[in-house]
Amino acid sequence: MERVPALDEPLKKSLGPATAKVMAEALDLHTVGDLLHHYPRRYAERGELTTLADLPLDEHVTVVAQVADARVLTFNGAKGRGQRLEVTITDGSGRLQLVFFGKGVHKPHKDLLPGTRAMFSGKVSLFNRRLQLAHPAYELLRGDGDESADSVGTWAGALIPIYPATTKLESWKIAKAVDAVLPSAGDAVDPLPPALREGRGLTDLPDALRRIHRPRTKADIADARERLKWDEAFVLQVALARRRHADTQLPAVPRRPTPDGILDAFDAKLPFTLTDGQSKVSAEIFDDLATDHPMHRLLQGEVGSGKTMVALRAMLAVVDAGGQAAMLAPTEVLAQQHHRSVTEMMGELAEGGMLGGAERATKVVLLTGSMGAAARRHALLDLVTGEAGIVIGTHALIEDKVQFHDLGLVVVDEQHRFGVEQRDALRGKGKQPPHLLVMTATPIPRTVAMTVFGDLETSVLDQLPAGRSPIASHVVPAADKPHFLARAWERVREEVGNGHQAYVVCPRIGDEEDQKKKAKASAEDEAEKRPPLAVLDVAEQLGAGPLAGLRIAVLHGRMHPDDKDDVMRRFAAGELDVLVATTVIEVGVNVPNATAMVIMDADRFGVSQLHQLRGRVGRGSAPGLCLLVSEMPEASPARQRLAAVAATLDGFELSRIDLEQRREGDVLGQAQSGVRSSLRVLTVIDDEEVITAAREEATALVLADPDLTGQPGLRTALDALLSEEREEYLEKG
């Protein structure tokens, strides 16, 4: 079916080339449909003033307020005498200063008389510790001028839509552009099947678009938002349901472990029993592996919940069934770490074909980009002959040269670090599509899992294995209380004195590359905040100061792989006391003797990242300690974030907080699909009920009509939402 012509019409036809150009460049809006789906962020009411009390710094805002006073000041500047107009506006909740300079003072001085109400739009900045808008654009809301009368006529008695705007395009200009195209809303093709719409009491799409842009009452807004949330949730869930349905049609080789094989031998020599969670998740995976279509499963588990053990047992089951398994890690350090821990766990079972190897053994090979030519040739040969049942590597595994004898299972560690193309290339290495297990230590709230990983079945490991110790976390306010920081270093010395080890994490490396990047940062940024603390500087200061005499080493991503490996080996062997590192230690580094971690400039890291980092301590029997050092003031959002991390060890709770605090990104993975955000009214945290219901409806619909032959409107919406790149993203997911 053809796309809807009215909504596909380029904006320059309706608005003229100049406005259309700004819309395209500033807001990425190109067609009438794009503009109709650019919804107001909120609404101001004539009798109700918006809050100035909680304006965000450095953001472009639109406020409705009243002028309290206005005065012109004369000052002596570099270019002689000049004038500055200072206007104070209020909304009952707070006051805000507006400033205009030079020739720009005359018109606002005439317009903005005390008592005048207007919409003001500009970027919030800080001057003399007070918030201000410099040279804001404004639109009068009542008065004697023609412009004001016109405005009052347009908005009389109505709710005033405040649109997401930019410096080049104020909210009221967007509102006028919407007025010009709103009649086209009648041509919008409704993606929701009539039975679903009627069954859930939802308004139709043209009506929802009219109500969201020009509501007469608050009920109009609520009805429109409810309907538009359904559009976003349903169309997305249909795309994912079709993906899941298509996967069930793909052929795969069922992989059932043989009795008395390598898996049984491995289980028999385990020095501990699996947790209930590990047993349950393993059973789910083995059921999937035994089917004749590919498994697509997401395994979520806190740091240290035993995901690697579950993945290894799945790989051994596939080896038992005559196939090969590949584990893909995001970094060389992590690939080497996995290889080391897997061969240690397997013991003689990993020495297939070698002297001393067990009867049912296989080979476990490592393949990374920095391997020597001879070792690499050897590893490639083991893969193509089937000699190696398990291969662990980085994206070097994806290269064309790498051929498998019979690839049966792909395990991807830390999926968010891999582009979908890479995952897809590895899946293409099997004679038939291999089974896929994706692991992540980043806890993902259920609705996000249903949305981002909607084509994967989900398993959760939420029990920590016996013997894991609790981690105490504290915020160290370095600026307010410098003696707390001094005490932090004493605590590190105490841990080392008790025979333990510690990490110190910094956001930056501090080498020449860093210097180049720093030089590029604008002078304004430099003045605003100092650059983040760097590994090389901090290591030097600690060695000469509070941690003098301890064995300190550095670890960061730009070191040679051999040097990185050497430092990690020495730290793991207890030959070093303190490791000063970047986030390269965030995933996979396992040193049970490390009990303390100090994170410098902790406010520069995300909530989930801090939680991941913290999971590196307390991995043995001694309790862990994590100190979050920050110079941010106590009332700042950054400090509230750190307090939240210190208050709970529950990764799922923290991931909710993280999502609520970050701006809603595109849950389809903007970085990977290169398309602008598809979610405008749906929020993955708050709209759990809508997402769950939409998933159920979508699954039932796709089961009954996989090609959507009876749903032309839905097909059109799918084409529009899932432009080719995004469809590919889902395909490869």
Side-chain angles (χ1 to χ4, degrees):
M1 174 170 167
E2 286 184 11
R3 303 272 302 277
V4 191
L7 299 197
D8 274 355
E9 191 168 276
L11 283 171
K12 62 170 174 272
K13 271 191 157 180
S14 325
L15 308 176
T19 309
K21 185 169 186 271
V22 180
M23 290 244 169
E25 287 170 2
L27 296 169
D28 198 17
L29 305 176
H30 304 274
T31 65
V32 169
D34 289 344
L35 180 54
L36 286 175
H37 288 296
H38 185 73
Y39 309 132
R41 179 179 282 156
R42 58 188 176 80
Y43 303 84
E45 289 179 78
R46 240 176 232 310
E48 174 197 289
L49 294 155
T50 54
T51 56
L52 294 178
D54 44 4
L55 285 180
L57 190 60
D58 279 342
E59 277 192 34
H60 194 91
V61 299
T62 302
V63 295
V64 175
Q66 190 163 342
V67 177
D69 68 70
R71 54 199 181 128
V72 174
L73 304 171
T74 305
F75 63 92
N76 292 317
K79 297 177 181 173
R81 288 166 73 74
Q83 286 190 316
R84 181 170 82 230
L85 169 66
E86 289 184 359
V87 178
T88 305
I89 58 172
T90 177
D91 67 351
S93 76
R95 295 166 84 81
L96 179 66
Q97 191 166 51
L98 317 176
V99 289
F100 300 86
F101 294 101
K103 294 195 175 86
V105 306
H106 305 304
K107 187 171 181 342
H109 190 214
K110 198 170 76 207
D111 290 342
L112 301 177
L113 303 170
T116 305
R117 304 220 15 234
M119 293 169 80
F120 301 93
S121 187
K123 191 177 178 186
V124 184
S125 57
L126 202 57
F127 181 71
N128 281 345
R129 302 185 75 107
R130 282 170 64 193
L131 294 180
Q132 69 168 27
L133 296 182
H135 279 282
Y138 60 88
E139 178 95 333
L140 302 180
L141 289 183
R142 67 163 177 251
D144 307 323
D146 290 344
E147 182 187 342
S148 318
D150 179 38
S151 307
V152 173
T154 310
W155 288 312
L159 294 151
I160 303 166
I162 309 283
Y163 286 91
T166 71
T167 325
K168 291 181 179 167
L169 208 58
E170 291 89 18
S171 171
W172 50 88
K173 288 186 181 161
I174 297 171
K176 285 175 181 164
V178 169
D179 282 337
V181 301
L182 201 53
S184 303
D187 296 317
V189 173
D190 205 317
L192 296 191
L196 187 158
R197 208 171 64 226
E198 286 152 23
R200 296 195 173 265
L202 299 168
T203 181
D204 66 20
L205 181 57
D207 188 49
L209 290 171
R210 284 189 284 265
R211 288 193 200 191
I212 194 123
H213 288 293
R214 297 295 171 262
R216 288 187 300 281
T217 62
K218 287 186 177 173
D220 277 354
I221 300 168
D223 290 349
R225 288 181 69 83
E226 182 67 12
R227 161 61 216 241
L228 295 166
K229 279 179 183 182
W230 258 93
D231 276 19
E232 289 177 7
F234 184 70
V235 175
L236 181 51
Q237 290 301 336
V238 167
L240 293 165
R242 291 182 77 196
R243 187 64 240 136
R244 288 195 300 276
H245 183 268
D247 285 339
T248 62
Q249 310 303 306
L250 287 172
V253 180
R255 310 280 178 173
R256 295 182 184 85
T258 45
D260 299 325
I262 191 167
L263 177 62
D264 285 349
F266 175 75
D267 283 349
K269 64 190 271 306
L270 276 181
F272 52 81
T273 51
L274 298 175
T275 65
D276 293 347
Q278 285 174 319
S279 301
K280 178 173 149 290
V281 169
S282 288
E284 290 171 350
I285 291 170
F286 290 161
D287 286 350
D288 283 359
L289 290 173
T291 59
D292 56 7
H293 59 82
M295 163 173 82
H296 286 102
R297 190 166 281 279
L298 171 70
L299 172 57
Q300 308 186 46
E302 290 279 12
V303 173
S305 58
K307 293 186 300 297
T308 311
M309 171 62 68
V310 169
L312 177 55
R313 293 185 73 243
M315 293 197 286
L316 293 175
V318 169
V319 173
D320 263 349
Q324 291 168 292
M327 182 187 251
L328 205 55
T331 63
E332 294 213 354
V333 169
L334 191 51
Q336 289 157 346
Q337 172 93 26
H338 276 317
H339 182 254
R340 202 178 299 126
S341 60
V342 164
T343 47
E344 279 169 12
M345 282 196 271
M346 287 176 63
E348 72 274 12
L349 295 173
E351 294 167 4
M354 296 185 237
L355 276 174
E359 184 193 343
R360 299 190 182 286
T362 187
K363 243 188 199 175
V364 179
V365 302
L366 176 69
L367 190 64
T368 63
S370 63
M371 281 169 78
R376 189 179 175 74
R377 218 170 24 247
H378 210 80
L380 291 172
L381 192 63
D382 284 341
L383 286 183
V384 77
T385 58
E387 188 89 6
I390 294 177
V391 58
I392 296 169
T394 55
H395 46 82
L397 278 178
I398 298 164
E399 291 167 12
D400 292 342
K401 287 201 246 0
V402 181
Q403 299 297 325
F404 290 86
H405 176 65
D406 179 14
L407 180 62
L409 170 67
V410 175
V411 178
V412 179
D413 192 20
E414 288 306 324
Q415 187 273 343
H416 63 279
R417 291 161 180 266
F418 270 107
V420 278
E421 287 78 11
Q422 294 165 310
R423 215 164 76 179
D424 195 47
L426 191 59
R427 264 170 44 184
K429 298 272 183 193
K431 293 185 177 70
Q432 285 192 330
H435 298 282
L436 176 71
L437 180 66
V438 173
M439 300 197 296
T440 178
T442 308
I444 303 163
R446 182 168 158 270
T447 44
V448 183
M450 281 196 308
T451 319
V452 184
F453 299 107
D455 59 336
L456 302 176
E457 298 300 324
T458 307
S459 297
V460 179
L461 276 178
D462 46 13
Q463 259 179 308
L464 286 187
R468 287 297 301 255
S469 304
I471 305 168
S473 307
H474 304 284
V475 179
V476 177
D480 315 346
K481 299 178 178 168
H483 59 286
F484 276 37
L485 184 57
R487 175 71 188 122
W489 301 126
E490 283 172 23
R491 283 293 289 114
V492 170
R493 290 194 87 98
E494 286 164 17
E495 290 297 313
V496 172
N498 290 332
H500 297 303
Q501 291 158 283
Y503 297 102
V504 177
V505 182
C506 305
R508 208 163 55 89
I509 297 172
D511 57 8
E512 285 162 20
E513 286 283 316
D514 261 3
Q515 297 307 322
K516 282 180 208 158
K517 280 188 201 156
K518 207 173 88 181
K520 277 187 188 166
S522 66
E524 200 179 312
D525 290 347
E526 288 294 306
E528 225 169 88
K529 46 184 167 184
R530 62 166 176 73
L533 291 170
V535 166
L536 302 177
D537 305 340
V538 168
E540 197 178 311
Q541 289 158 15
L542 292 177
L547 302 185
L550 300 187
R551 299 167 298 173
I552 299 175
V554 299
L555 182 70
H556 59 75
R558 281 203 284 269
M559 287 164 64
H560 188 278
D562 293 348
D563 297 337
K564 274 194 280 200
D565 217 34
D566 181 54
V567 169
M568 268 321 306
R569 189 194 51 72
R570 285 166 55 216
F571 190 64
E575 294 165 22
L576 297 169
D577 300 318
V578 178
L579 189 60
V580 184
T582 55
T583 54
V584 291
I585 62 154
E586 179 187 350
V587 279
V589 176
N590 186 22
V591 181
N593 191 43
T595 53
M597 176 178 284
V598 181
I599 303 178
M600 307 302 290
D601 279 342
D603 47 90
R604 312 264 179 143
F605 299 96
V607 169
S608 295
Q609 198 171 27
L610 290 170
H611 181 60
Q612 287 271 56
L613 287 165
R614 170 172 63 184
R616 299 289 129 214
V617 295
R619 296 175 79 86
S621 51
L625 172 70
C626 178
L627 301 174
L628 307 167
V629 180
S630 171
E631 291 185 0
M632 296 301 279
E634 195 166 355
S636 63
R639 273 284 290 279
Q640 287 162 8
R641 218 170 51 231
L642 297 182
V645 175
T648 179
L649 291 172
D650 181 341
F652 287 93
E653 174 59 27
L654 287 174
S655 67
R656 275 189 86 90
I657 293 168
D658 195 17
L659 262 172
E660 282 163 5
Q661 291 186 337
R662 275 189 308 190
R663 293 197 187 125
E664 268 308 308
D666 183 358
V667 293
L668 279 186
Q670 203 167 6
Q672 287 163 314
S673 69
V675 196
R676 78 162 181 277
S677 173
S678 64
L679 294 195
R680 296 176 177 84
V681 284
L682 189 75
T683 55
V684 283
I685 284 291
D686 299 331
D687 295 320
E688 184 163 349
E689 283 175 26
V690 175
I691 293 170
T692 309
R695 183 182 169 106
E696 284 166 13
E697 294 269 12
T699 307
L701 177 77
V702 169
L703 207 58
D705 180 8
D707 295 326
L708 308 180
T709 41
Q711 305 292 340
L714 179 55
R715 286 198 70 96
T716 303
L718 267 178
D719 292 344
L721 175 79
L722 304 174
S723 53
E724 281 168 36
E725 297 120 293
R726 183 167 292 163
E727 187 71 86
E728 268 173 38
Y729 170 74
L730 287 168
E731 286 283 325
K732 291 172 181 175

